[in-house]
Amino acid sequence: MGEIEQRPSPGSRLGAPENSGISTLEHGQKPPPTPSGKLMSIKIQMLDDTQEAFEVPQRAPGKVLLDAVCNHLNLVEGDYFGLEFPDHKKITVWLDLLKPIVKQIRRPKHVVVKFVVKFFPPDHTQLQEELTRYLFALQVKQDLAQGRLTCNDTSAALLISHIVQSEIGDFDEASDREHLAKNKYIPQQDALEDKIVEYHHNHIGQTPAESDFQLLEIARRLEMYGVRLHPAKDREGTKINLAVANTGILVFQGFTKINAFNWAKVRKLSFKRKRFLIKLRPDANSSYQDTLEFLMASRDFCKSFWKICVEHHAFFRLFEEPKPKPKPVLFSRGSSFRFSGRTQKQVLDFVKEGGHKKVQFERKHSKIQSIRSLATQPTEPNSEVPKQAPADEEEEVVKDRTQQSKAQPPQPSTGSLTGSPHLSELSINSQGGAAPTNVILSPNLSPDTKQASPLVSPLLNDQVCPRTDDEEEGRRKRFPTDKAYFIAKEVSTTERTYLKDLEVITSWFQSTVSKEDVMPEALKSLIFPNFEPLHKFHTSFLKETEQRLALWEGRSNAHIRGDYQRIGDVLLKNIQGMKQLAAHLWKHSEALEALETGIRSSRRLESLCRDFELQKVCYLPLNTFLLRPLHRLMHYKQVLERLCKHHPPSHADFRDCRAALAEVTEMVAQLHGTMIKMENFQKLHELKKDLIGIDNLVIPGRRSLLLIKEFIRLGSLSKLSGKGLQQRMFFLFNDVLLYTSRGLTASNQFKVHGQLPLYGMTIEESEDEWGVPHCLTLRGQRQSLVVAASSRSEMEKWVEDIQMAIDLAEKSSGPTPEFLASSPPDHKSPDEAAVADQESEDDLSASRTSLERQAPHRGNTMVHVCWHRNTSVSMVDFSVAVENQLSGNLLRKFKNSNGWQKLWVVFTNFCLFFYKSHQDHHPLASLPLLGYSLTIPSESEDIHKDYVFKLHFKSHVYYFRAESEYTFERWMEVIRSATSSASRAHILSHKESHVY
């Protein structure tokens, strides 16, 4: 018969040895259609200890009853749960979802079926819904009371304190002791009462949803979390207990785990009569026998445990539900049981896509209601729990806020959190104030600010963006048809955005700094006097460009339009003027270094800059704006290259364009070296805000940027450990590879778990060895890691960049010093037991206060986007993205809407930012494009418009219309640079043709 193929794909299966009489996992039939006819009433005991009766057809399969319970609860993630009951032999079994109910529950009037958690995921943050976490919290509460979740007194008291916070709210000693006297959460509760009360005092302000999250955070690290013991004996007759978890099969002696067999180790599972058999993969370093044998009380006990193992393997290891094999014509051997339902991956994908509507629910044991009203639900700074308004309220929310924003005069923001375009549209600040007027279209980046849908379009309404089909068609007919006109217009549209970016420093940031006496005068004199002349110059440049375009379009009194159908003379004049400002441009790199040094040495300045970054106008990291003048020179160079290529040498504008190109090329070449260093410097400081647990990412006091670490790539990979495949963020530098997990901070910063120095490292593909697609083994001098990428192309990017970094490290002087602040390197191999990433209980009890100390932080950075989209981005990609920036009007249409809406759109930093008009000071919404596909609509999509392109990610689809063939091609070009990154060799060859 079949073996365990550990490749987590639809073909993977758990089989039985030959002659065992047990069929493979994939045998079985599809569930029959739900029959009508006689109904049977079944009592279900819920996790909140209430009982509900459900009537279902007798011949219906078990799935009908489970679906009825989940629908009754409005439970989206019902796949984690199951129905258990005592069968006719008094053995507790799970309801088989494929078999008729009447064949399983013989006497329904005398049987109470329990609705309980069946599959406990390795990380509770994988549970996306508040209701799901609430039910898991009730399961933990039940397991504590029944003595199944054993732990030490500290953990028990901490768990109960969170339950008490959820049920009665904030600390009051008299109420606490009265409540504990009436409610027994654990058999030996009286001895722990003082400790429970003490811990409860630390949870003031914590909502019931947050209490659930913290409860699960503690419970998941306990050895007995989610463990159901099944008595057995080993070959020597010693009494032991077997259990199954997401990681594999566990062996306990009493309540102490003495062994674990990871799914990656197990080749085959079967049972024969009372004997449960585990066949292991051969391992030269292991002393285990090839086949392990355990004796259970009876064949029924043994078969029941085997079925549980089959289901756990399928749910946690497969990508989708295994397909059944045809039923044998003559006879079948053994059990026809197979796993039925969605796998965990399918559940996660479904919930992430947002294909469901949020509902309210009632906490039966809590005096604190679960309030989902947007107007009354605060988001605590340390909240880790998704909160969301009902979908049908979203449009009105945005409409109201947009109307409010119209009445506000354009003035610099105050630095409050509610002014940030980087918070969710549906998020509320910690004081319960109104959310910002903009919408974030970034993915579901952090649990505490879960968006209405992680990848949806801007929630802009017709009041904001009236449909303008006829108006646009009329204007389009009046446009000049010359390509040079549209190139000139690109200069104008991008100049508008550039001027707004300069104002972020000259107006908004300067206004904020002037209100607080925290910035040294030397730093002020280095930044603002070098930006103000640029702002003044480019204000004049934009005015002159727009005047020329007006003449070109015939919107003036000029009699001879031909003299004005060119832009080269305007560009030449202004680029020559820019050379007079070169001294200011040279100061920008110095200003960037000085600002970061000032932030490092002054907490007040750090706080001021951090708060300013949370304002709506600061739609990118603050230090990015300091490099904008250097980036702009490259844009002029690209525009002039296109003009020179378009015009024949005989054209009246060719000579001016060529002269202007020579001038700007000279300036770009002079700043080339500084630009490369500054981009790396800026990126390191940006990454530093996303990472915790590192010391010397940017070394203080080093004036030579050549000595600073070089960033190469960041992205999401799955790390194979004793717990199976777990998502981690990896950061590749020129000397070390860091791996991190998303931490419990207000902004979900990433906590560094370990490092692999690149010196002496080797890299090899190991898909065949581990049975995991797109799998790599990274072998360092002291440790090894097995990681898997999301696709073949992602794996190839990582291999290319890691190998390049290894070669660089080999050419350097030797091994580099330790990189981590406090987290020791992880020396464990993937085969070791599932204790790899656990923290101490001291960390658990201190988690609340550490969260409170965390600073506010931008929550939709590129790191978070890569985490959610399961992709990666390199420094080369960032450098190319600097060149690929574009601004202009686009018409936008949703998948199922009829009209088109006009928006001002800015593309930068792999993201589309949407505005009502180019005069707006801050974006209404943003859409990160990593992971999206860019195509042209097919005929079946019934668009029937020119110059339309389509952006889609899973079920999210948007159409955009450009005004001309040239602008259509330009939008396609720049967006493609963000949605489909080229190979390093291709990018480098491209960069060489545009040396700056």
Side-chain angles (χ1 to χ4, degrees):
M1 304 297 287
E3 298 178 349
I4 297 181
E5 299 177 6
Q6 288 304 319
R7 182 190 309 278
S9 65
S12 184
R13 63 186 185 181
L14 282 173
E18 293 183 9
N19 303 321
S20 67
I22 307 302
S23 65
T24 67
L25 173 67
E26 296 186 37
H27 280 236
Q29 300 178 359
K30 291 183 179 179
T34 303
S36 57
K38 189 174 180 181
L39 300 177
M40 60 192 300
S41 179
I42 298 177
K43 290 175 288 185
I44 306 290
Q45 182 172 324
M46 301 297 190
L47 280 162
D48 59 6
D49 297 328
T50 61
Q51 280 195 10
E52 300 282 349
F54 292 85
E55 289 192 340
V56 291
Q58 282 186 339
R59 300 295 304 174
K63 189 176 189 309
V64 171
L65 180 58
L66 180 61
D67 287 347
V69 177
C70 293
N71 291 336
H72 171 75
L73 294 170
N74 290 311
L75 181 61
V76 175
E77 298 173 296
D79 308 77
Y80 290 103
F81 299 82
L83 298 170
E84 65 175 11
F85 64 97
D87 67 3
H88 62 286
K89 295 183 180 180
K90 304 302 181 185
I91 299 173
T92 300
V93 296
W94 292 102
L95 186 72
D96 190 323
L97 301 186
L98 297 179
K99 289 175 63 175
I101 300 171
V102 71
K103 289 189 176 182
Q104 302 181 70
I105 304 176
R106 304 289 174 84
R107 304 174 64 191
K109 291 183 179 179
H110 303 282
V111 173
V112 176
V113 180
K114 293 182 179 181
F115 176 76
V116 292
V117 176
K118 185 175 187 178
F119 300 113
F120 290 79
D123 187 350
H124 64 296
T125 59
Q126 293 176 327
L127 305 174
Q128 303 295 309
E129 300 289 301
E130 182 182 330
L131 173 58
T132 313
R133 283 190 296 273
Y134 169 57
L135 295 175
F136 266 72
L138 291 179
Q139 183 70 66
V140 169
K141 176 182 171 184
Q142 191 178 101
D143 289 350
L144 271 174
Q146 294 174 358
R148 288 204 285 200
L149 183 59
T150 59
C151 55
N152 61 34
D153 289 350
T154 300
S155 295
L158 197 54
L159 288 167
I160 296 171
S161 70
H162 284 295
I163 297 173
V164 172
Q165 175 70 22
S166 175
E167 294 185 354
I168 67 173
D170 285 346
F171 170 80
D172 177 83
E173 185 164 357
S175 300
D176 277 21
R177 296 196 183 276
E178 181 182 352
H179 184 76
L180 290 171
K182 294 179 180 177
N183 298 273
K184 295 298 179 185
Y185 298 105
I186 198 169
Q188 300 81 26
Q189 183 172 298
D190 292 344
L192 299 178
E193 186 171 307
D194 290 341
K195 222 170 197 177
I196 296 169
V197 171
E198 178 188 346
Y199 285 143
H200 184 210
H201 186 269
N202 296 329
H203 306 330
I204 291 175
Q206 191 169 280
T207 66
E210 291 170 331
S211 296
D212 294 342
F213 191 91
Q214 298 295 341
L215 177 77
L216 297 177
E217 175 62 27
I218 299 160
R220 75 178 177 95
R221 310 183 199 200
L222 301 175
E223 195 164 72
M224 296 301 295
Y225 174 64
V227 169
R228 302 292 180 260
L229 298 177
H230 299 259
K233 293 181 181 179
D234 62 15
R235 280 185 171 176
E236 285 73 38
T238 305
K239 290 184 178 180
I240 49 111
N241 290 303
L242 296 179
V244 63
N246 60 83
T247 56
I249 298 172
L250 313 176
V251 183
F252 287 82
Q253 202 157 37
F255 292 108
T256 303
K257 184 167 68 177
I258 59 174
N259 216 333
F261 301 103
N262 190 283
W263 293 128
K265 291 181 180 179
V266 178
R267 183 183 175 194
K268 190 181 294 183
L269 290 178
S270 63
F271 71 95
K272 190 172 184 179
R273 298 186 180 89
K274 296 193 293 184
R275 290 183 295 140
F276 181 74
L277 305 170
I278 305 175
K279 190 168 186 177
L280 300 175
R281 291 180 178 275
D283 184 355
N285 300 321
S286 174
S287 59
Y288 295 126
Q289 300 169 354
D290 180 47
T291 302
L292 300 175
E293 185 177 305
F294 300 93
L295 192 67
M296 306 193 83
S298 68
R299 181 186 184 277
D300 290 331
F301 273 113
C302 199
K303 181 179 180 180
S304 175
F305 182 65
W306 174 79
K307 290 166 77 172
I308 295 169
C309 293
V310 167
E311 292 186 306
H312 273 72
H313 174 269
F315 183 75
F316 289 109
R317 295 283 285 184
L318 302 191
F319 283 178
E320 58 187 48
E321 179 183 357
K323 304 294 188 294
K325 287 186 177 179
K327 186 176 181 180
V329 177
L330 297 177
F331 63 89
S332 63
R333 298 175 58 208
S335 172
S336 63
F337 175 77
R338 70 177 179 90
F339 171 75
S340 173
R342 295 184 296 189
T343 65
Q344 187 189 29
K345 183 181 186 302
Q346 289 176 309
V347 177
L348 292 172
D349 289 345
F350 172 76
V351 179
K352 281 183 179 179
E353 288 188 34
H356 60 282
K357 183 176 179 180
K358 300 289 179 180
V359 294
Q360 296 183 7
F361 67 91
E362 180 184 356
R363 294 172 178 270
K364 293 286 173 61
H365 296 285
S366 178
K367 299 177 184 178
I368 313 299
Q369 294 301 310
S370 176
I371 302 171
R372 286 187 171 271
S373 168
L374 183 64
T376 58
Q377 177 177 298
T379 298
E380 297 284 342
N382 62 325
S383 170
E384 294 292 333
V385 186
K387 301 172 183 177
Q388 182 173 351
D392 53 2
E393 295 179 11
E394 293 166 2
E395 199 71 33
E396 291 302 318
V397 168
V398 179
K399 188 177 294 185
D400 292 344
R401 289 178 184 157
T402 306
Q403 290 169 348
Q404 292 170 10
S405 68
K406 290 180 180 178
Q408 296 173 354
Q411 58 185 9
S413 303
T414 61
S416 66
L417 288 175
T418 54
S420 168
H422 309 286
L423 300 177
S424 167
E425 164 60 23
L426 301 179
S427 69
I428 310 295
N429 68 16
S430 58
Q431 285 73 40
T437 58
N438 64 292
V439 185
I440 290 302
L441 301 184
S442 51
N444 183 8
L445 301 177
S446 63
D448 54 322
T449 55
K450 183 173 180 180
Q451 288 80 25
S453 177
L455 305 164
V456 297
S457 163
L459 297 176
L460 305 176
N461 51 66
D462 291 346
Q463 270 189 305
V464 177
C465 306
R467 291 181 173 83
T468 54
D469 291 15
D470 297 336
E471 175 193 344
E472 285 301 309
E473 290 296 337
R475 286 200 69 229
R476 198 169 298 181
K477 290 175 182 177
R478 296 197 301 269
F479 282 156
T481 56
D482 186 5
K483 181 179 178 180
Y485 162 78
F486 292 106
I487 297 176
K489 191 170 183 181
E490 183 182 329
V491 175
S492 171
T493 56
T494 53
E495 191 74 8
R496 286 173 178 172
T497 297
Y498 174 52
L499 203 57
K500 289 288 185 184
D501 287 349
L502 290 178
E503 288 171 3
V504 171
I505 301 296
T506 60
S507 176
W508 301 85
F509 187 51
Q510 188 168 10
S511 173
T512 301
V513 168
S514 65
K515 295 175 183 176
E516 303 283 344
D517 186 23
V518 298
M519 181 179 283
E521 289 299 324
L523 183 54
K524 288 182 186 177
S525 63
L526 186 58
I527 296 176
F528 303 118
N530 284 299
F531 268 84
E532 287 162 353
L534 291 176
H535 182 267
K536 183 178 180 181
F537 175 85
H538 286 280
T539 301
S540 174
F541 183 11
L542 176 60
K543 184 177 180 181
E544 191 171 350
T545 305
E546 291 183 333
Q547 287 172 347
R548 176 56 59 86
L549 285 171
L551 293 170
W552 202 331
E553 293 171 2
R555 291 186 283 124
S556 72
N557 296 324
H559 298 293
I560 307 173
R561 289 175 54 201
D563 291 344
Y564 301 105
Q565 292 182 347
R566 56 197 175 98
I567 195 67
D569 58 330
V570 176
L571 290 170
L572 177 59
K573 172 192 168 185
N574 283 279
I575 286 172
Q576 287 174 337
M578 244 178 277
K579 293 186 75 172
Q580 308 303 316
L581 300 173
H584 298 292
L585 294 174
W586 282 105
K587 289 286 187 180
H588 291 320
S589 61
E590 189 179 339
L592 177 59
E593 286 187 79
L595 179 61
E596 294 298 346
T597 301
I599 288 172
R600 195 164 50 239
S601 58
S602 169
R603 287 199 173 186
R604 292 180 62 201
L605 180 59
E606 179 187 18
S607 176
L608 180 140
C609 292
R610 181 190 66 219
D611 291 344
F612 179 75
E613 279 197 327
L614 294 174
Q615 290 193 32
K616 291 177 285 188
V617 294
C618 193
Y619 66 103
L620 297 172
L622 174 59
N623 54 19
T624 301
F625 293 101
L626 295 177
L627 295 181
R628 275 297 195 244
L630 305 183
H631 296 161
R632 187 60 177 153
L633 291 177
M634 293 188 296
H635 304 157
Y636 295 138
K637 181 174 179 285
Q638 286 184 333
V639 165
L640 285 161
E641 286 173 338
R642 285 196 292 272
L643 281 169
C644 289
K645 188 175 180 180
H646 170 67
H647 290 314
S650 58
H651 193 279
D653 207 26
F654 180 78
R655 187 172 180 178
D656 287 340
C657 288
R658 189 162 185 175
L661 177 58
E663 297 276 9
V664 77
T665 299
E666 181 185 351
M667 295 177 67
V668 166
Q670 290 173 348
L671 293 166
H672 173 244
T674 300
M675 173 69 77
I676 296 296
K677 297 172 188 175
M678 282 296 104
E679 286 179 355
N680 181 66
F681 183 78
Q682 184 269 330
K683 189 55 59 183
L684 289 175
H685 277 282
E686 190 178 332
L687 292 178
K688 190 179 176 184
K689 297 173 186 175
D690 278 310
L691 293 170
I692 51 177
I694 56 174
D695 267 343
N696 54 344
L697 184 60
V698 184
I699 302 171
R702 281 192 172 173
R703 301 299 298 168
S704 172
L705 294 177
L706 290 172
L707 299 177
I708 290 180
K709 288 186 182 292
E710 292 180 23
F711 163 68
I712 297 176
R713 180 175 289 277
L714 66 86
S716 170
L717 292 170
S718 295
K719 175 176 171 283
L720 186 61
S721 69
K723 295 181 179 180
L725 285 171
Q726 294 182 306
Q727 186 180 7
R728 294 285 182 262
M729 276 299 290
F730 281 74
F731 297 83
L732 177 63
F733 299 91
N734 61 319
D735 56 355
V736 71
L737 178 67
L738 299 182
Y739 56 96
T740 70
S741 63
R742 194 162 64 165
L744 287 178
T745 67
S747 57
N748 287 333
Q749 289 166 287
F750 288 83
K751 180 180 179 182
V752 179
H753 277 281
Q755 61 175 329
L756 274 80
L758 299 179
Y759 186 82
M761 181 191 286
T762 60
I763 180 171
E764 59 190 59
E765 294 186 30
S766 51
E767 185 172 313
D768 294 338
E769 179 182 355
W770 296 104
V772 176
H774 324 306
C775 183
L776 301 171
T777 299
L778 307 175
R779 301 190 188 281
Q781 292 184 330
R782 293 182 299 172
Q783 65 179 118
S784 297
L785 282 186
V786 179
V787 297
S790 59
S791 66
R792 184 77 189 178
S793 62
E794 274 294 302
M795 183 187 76
E796 289 171 352
K797 290 182 208 172
W798 278 105
V799 169
E800 186 178 12
D801 279 353
I802 293 174
Q803 190 58 59
M804 180 198 68
I806 291 172
D807 294 342
L808 290 174
E810 295 292 338
K811 293 175 184 177
S812 66
S813 56
T816 54
E818 288 294 306
F819 198 42
L820 304 188
S822 54
S823 304
D826 184 354
H827 298 291
K828 297 179 176 61
S829 71
D831 284 339
E832 289 189 87
V835 295
D837 295 323
Q838 294 192 3
E839 292 87 352
S840 68
E841 289 186 0
D842 292 339
D843 293 335
L844 300 184
S845 60
S847 62
R848 173 74 185 186
T849 54
S850 64
L851 288 176
E852 289 171 345
R853 288 195 296 267
Q854 290 298 332
H857 169 70
R858 174 186 306 274
N860 66 330
T861 64
M862 193 56 58
V863 177
H864 288 84
V865 175
C866 287
W867 170 268
H868 183 78
R869 306 274 172 86
N870 209 11
T871 187
S872 68
V873 63
S874 72
M875 190 64 214
V876 175
D877 295 327
F878 280 111
S879 296
V880 172
V882 165
E883 297 180 16
N884 288 291
Q885 299 186 27
L886 196 60
S887 306
N889 287 311
L890 285 174
L891 296 177
R892 190 277 321 272
K893 189 179 95 70
F894 296 117
K895 183 178 180 181
N896 299 316
S897 63
N898 294 320
W900 295 79
Q901 297 174 326
K902 185 178 179 181
L903 297 168
W904 176 260
V905 183
V906 173
F907 174 77
T908 185
N909 203 37
F910 307 96
C911 190
L912 291 175
F913 293 92
F914 300 94
Y915 301 74
K916 288 182 291 181
S917 77
H918 68 84
Q919 296 172 328
D920 287 358
H921 293 292
H922 57 81
L924 292 164
S926 62
L927 180 63
L929 294 182
L930 285 178
Y932 267 76
S933 296
L934 174 68
T935 58
I936 298 172
S938 62
E939 289 187 12
S940 62
E941 290 173 272
D942 201 29
I943 297 298
H944 306 306
K945 296 288 184 181
D946 294 331
Y947 315 130
V948 176
F949 59 89
K950 171 184 173 183
L951 280 169
H952 54 103
F953 179 85
K954 296 186 178 178
S955 61
H956 309 289
V957 179
Y958 322 115
Y959 302 99
F960 294 92
R961 283 169 61 195
E963 64 184 7
S964 69
E965 183 180 1
Y966 171 79
T967 52
F968 167 78
E969 290 174 351
R970 284 289 292 138
W971 280 108
M972 290 282 285
E973 179 185 353
V974 298
I975 291 175
R976 190 175 286 116
S977 72
T979 56
S980 55
S981 108
S983 69
R984 171 171 291 277
H986 172 78
I987 291 175
L988 289 177
S989 65
H990 167 76
K991 296 278 285 181
E992 286 168 5
S993 65
H994 295 287
V995 178
Y996 54 88

